[in-house]
Amino acid sequence: MYHAIVRRKLRRAFEDINAGRWDGIVAQFAPVHRHAMPGRHALAGERRTPASTARWYERLRRLLPGLAFDVRAIVVGGMPWRTVATVAWDDRFRLPDGSQGTNSGVHEFELRWGRVHSLVIHCDTARLQGYCDRMAEAGVAEAHAAPITDSG
């Protein structure tokens, strides 16, 4: 039963993003957490505070307008004091020239008593870097900005 509740909450979180309801995302994180995305692009890096994580989600909204996820699978294991969950997804978003960008990936969560203590987002980083390059060429300077971290 517990795993079904976690799957439902995770699916709802992705549905909220798809519907443009981003307000509650950062509140789901523990005060000290790990929010990371590998790669060498404007969305890469690691954050550990609500403030830096909030700045990252603001940048995500600006760089990938219309971002929507098709969730392919959610796998949950563990107990309430340490739950591990993965969400496999395909996404789509608008690029400055009006075309659609896409990617595929996995969100890897560690939850403790319902709070996100770690989220690592894995996707095709070379593809994402290519989109960032295209956005920068179209005049979106933030697409080549340094990653958001707690120190910068």
Side-chain angles (χ1 to χ4, degrees):
M1 177 62 114
Y2 169 70
H3 292 166
I5 292 168
V6 172
R7 277 192 297 277
R8 189 169 39 249
K9 285 186 71 164
L10 289 170
R11 188 170 299 281
R12 191 171 327 135
F14 281 86
E15 289 169 356
D16 284 347
I17 291 171
N18 291 351
R21 295 185 300 265
W22 296 70
D23 297 341
I25 294 174
V26 176
Q28 297 175 44
F29 284 85
V32 176
H33 58 267
R34 179 177 186 231
H35 181 279
M37 187 172 198
R40 297 177 189 269
H41 49 78
L43 294 171
E46 186 169 312
R47 292 139 298 276
R48 295 203 169 264
T49 65
S52 61
T53 299
R55 287 195 318 273
W56 186 89
Y57 279 103
E58 291 163 5
R59 177 178 284 177
L60 178 68
R61 285 182 77 173
R62 288 190 300 272
L63 290 181
L64 305 181
L67 177 63
F69 291 92
D70 295 317
V71 173
R72 288 185 278 117
I74 300 175
V75 179
V76 179
M79 301 303 284
W81 51 89
R82 186 173 183 274
T83 306
V84 176
T86 57
V87 179
W89 48 264
D90 299 307
D91 72 6
R92 62 195 176 284
F93 46 88
R94 286 186 315 277
L95 293 166
D97 65 4
S99 65
Q100 180 173 284
T102 62
N103 210 329
S104 295
V106 173
H107 277 52
E108 174 189 349
F109 291 91
E110 180 184 329
L111 308 166
R112 296 182 199 159
W113 300 110
R115 302 293 298 272
V116 178
H117 278 257
S118 177
L119 170 56
V120 181
I121 303 164
H122 303 278
C123 70
D124 182 338
T125 58
R127 184 177 201 142
L128 183 55
Q129 179 62 55
Y131 288 132
C132 287
D133 292 344
R134 284 177 56 187
M135 287 184 270
E137 290 170 8
V140 181
E142 188 174 25
H144 274 174
I148 294 170
T149 63
D150 295 306
S151 61

